[in-house]
Amino acid sequence: MTLDWKRERSTLDDDAVLWCLRLNEGLANEREQEDLRAWLAADPARRHRLDAITALWDGIEDDAHAPEMLSLRHAALTAMEQAGRRGWTWPRRMPWVGIAVAAMLVLAINVVFLLRDPMTYYTTGIGERRVVALADGSTLSLDADSAVSVRFHRNRRDLTLDRGRAAFRVAKDPLRPFAVTSGTHVVVATGTEFTVEKLANEVRVALVEGRVAILRTVPHGHAVQLAHVGKTTEPAEQALTPGHELILTNGRALGALRASAADVGWEAGQLFFANEPLGVAAERVNRYSVGKRIDVASDVTGIRVSGVFNAGDVDAFARAVATVFPVRVRNDGERLLLSAPRKIDANAGQNGTNSRKVN
């Protein structure tokens, strides 16, 4: 005799689906639990199949509040209960019920993936800003030329800042930590407000209110990030208080704590710099420059600049820097190169000079 393996698998799926529904709704009495144990003992494959169906059902539970899910859930449970009133022998007597419920479960799973992409990616272009209301009630504000991926789970909220800068106003939920990863660092909060910025060689975390923990990646997992506080070191969670920011430099184990630069104007179209390295300031200005870009030579990147500038006006920024500091601006049409002034060769003749660009 040849068995139809497809039919056997279908029957197994039907029974597993029905048992999953029965157990998850808390409807199994003592007799039914004995039946379940006997059903599982008869074939080892049944335990694996029930576990797989239960995992899928748990995914649906995450979105059980959605209107599209409520009707599907109600239909599946109604079919199950109607069959249950005829006795718990219905998986064999009425296979059509199991098939119908299985079909509803598969349809529900498909709706889940339509309703909730496992990962959502938010981006802004050069010169663009964006505010996003997240599904958990948190708010995400993206600076120009920034990108954040969001993935929510039942017991945690995971976000990744791939580039640029973002402000996070986190909805309080102590049971679901809100973790923002950028580079090799992770900022963890449950309900607070903070910004994370990813620069070429740094990650900066500025705290507006509340409290956050900061971790760094180590070879075997994560370790608590430490920060310089005067002549001592403290865990970043203790050191970083509202109104301050932590500067995490690539390759350095300790973060540098300082009063926040108060650069909150970017959400309103202004850039505020307080004793900021010229290289970092130019990197921020470039997020808003649709046309020209600013390149900063290594010989002037450490110059400290302060001031308020309109986002996107790279020419005004370059002129202001050249007016205050010994910086040369060279315009090649597509970019502005900021560098140290040309050096005059002392051996040059009276009728001419020999100059070279200092990089």
Side-chain angles (χ1 to χ4, degrees):
M1 178 179 178
T2 302
L3 293 176
D4 185 343
W5 67 269
K6 290 184 179 179
R7 182 175 180 179
E8 290 294 314
R9 176 61 176 271
S10 176
T11 302
L12 175 58
D13 283 349
D14 294 345
D15 291 357
V17 166
L18 294 169
W19 275 117
C20 171
L21 292 171
R22 193 79 175 180
L23 293 172
N24 274 275
E25 292 305 310
L27 301 177
N29 55 37
E30 184 175 348
R31 177 182 175 182
E32 291 167 354
Q33 290 179 9
E34 292 178 358
D35 290 341
L36 173 59
R37 286 192 288 269
W39 181 76
L40 293 172
D43 185 352
R46 294 177 176 178
R47 166 61 68 183
H48 296 293
R49 200 60 191 154
L50 179 58
D51 288 345
I53 295 296
T54 300
L56 293 175
W57 183 255
D58 287 343
I60 293 174
E61 288 287 323
D62 289 342
D63 289 277
H65 61 280
E68 293 86 346
M69 292 302 303
L70 293 176
S71 59
L72 289 169
R73 184 182 180 86
H74 176 72
L77 295 176
T78 298
M80 181 193 71
E81 291 169 0
Q82 288 175 347
R85 284 196 291 269
R86 296 180 175 88
W88 187 236
T89 57
W90 47 267
R92 298 301 181 194
R93 290 183 180 179
M94 293 177 293
W96 63 270
V97 176
I99 294 172
V101 175
M104 292 175 189
L105 182 59
V106 171
L107 178 59
I109 292 168
N110 291 333
V111 171
V112 168
F113 287 110
L114 289 175
L115 290 174
R116 184 195 62 200
D117 189 337
M119 183 177 70
T120 306
Y121 204 58
Y122 299 103
T123 63
T124 52
I126 294 175
E128 177 189 8
R129 293 179 298 277
R130 183 179 182 186
V131 178
V132 179
L134 300 179
D136 68 330
S138 301
T139 301
L140 166 65
S141 298
L142 282 82
D143 196 359
D145 195 17
S146 300
V148 174
S149 61
V150 179
R151 187 190 298 268
F152 284 166
H153 307 273
R154 173 182 292 184
N155 59 349
R156 67 186 189 278
R157 296 169 284 178
D158 293 334
L159 299 88
T160 301
L161 176 66
D162 292 318
R163 71 173 188 273
R165 174 168 51 178
F168 305 90
R169 297 176 180 85
V170 182
K172 288 181 170 57
D173 189 347
L175 300 180
R176 297 177 70 200
F178 189 100
V180 179
T181 299
S182 187
T184 59
H185 293 86
V186 182
V187 183
V188 183
T190 54
T192 185
E193 184 175 347
F194 61 96
T195 67
V196 180
E197 181 175 21
K198 186 175 184 180
L199 298 164
N201 299 308
E202 299 174 351
V203 171
R204 297 188 176 190
V205 182
L207 187 61
V208 179
E209 66 177 31
R211 194 171 183 178
V212 297
I214 302 178
L215 307 175
R216 61 185 178 88
T217 302
V218 294
H220 302 292
H222 291 90
V224 174
Q225 175 65 51
L226 299 178
H228 277 297
V229 181
K231 296 181 179 181
T232 65
T233 60
E234 293 182 3
E237 182 176 4
Q238 299 176 15
L240 186 58
T241 56
H244 292 80
E245 69 176 348
L246 190 64
I247 302 174
L248 307 167
T249 304
N250 296 341
R252 296 184 183 177
L254 294 177
L257 187 69
R258 72 172 189 178
S260 177
D263 186 12
V264 295
W266 61 272
E267 295 186 73
Q270 288 190 317
L271 299 178
F272 175 86
F273 302 119
N275 200 33
E276 199 69 70
L278 179 57
V280 171
E283 191 172 346
R284 290 176 177 167
V285 170
N286 282 337
R287 292 180 189 151
Y288 292 86
S289 178
V290 178
K292 297 177 184 176
R293 307 278 289 177
I294 295 179
D295 289 341
V296 181
S298 60
D299 52 12
V300 296
T301 188
I303 290 177
R304 299 281 175 163
V305 299
S306 299
V308 180
F309 302 88
N310 291 326
D313 194 345
V314 296
D315 290 299
F317 176 79
R319 286 195 304 269
V321 171
T323 299
V324 177
F325 300 100
V327 172
R328 176 193 178 198
V329 180
R330 189 175 70 190
N331 187 344
D332 68 2
E334 296 183 354
R335 66 173 188 159
L336 298 174
L337 176 62
L338 307 185
S339 62
R342 291 180 299 175
K343 290 186 177 179
I344 306 300
D345 190 341
N347 297 320
Q350 295 181 351
N351 295 325
T353 60
N354 183 15
S355 64
R356 64 183 178 88
K357 185 179 74 172
V358 179
N359 294 317

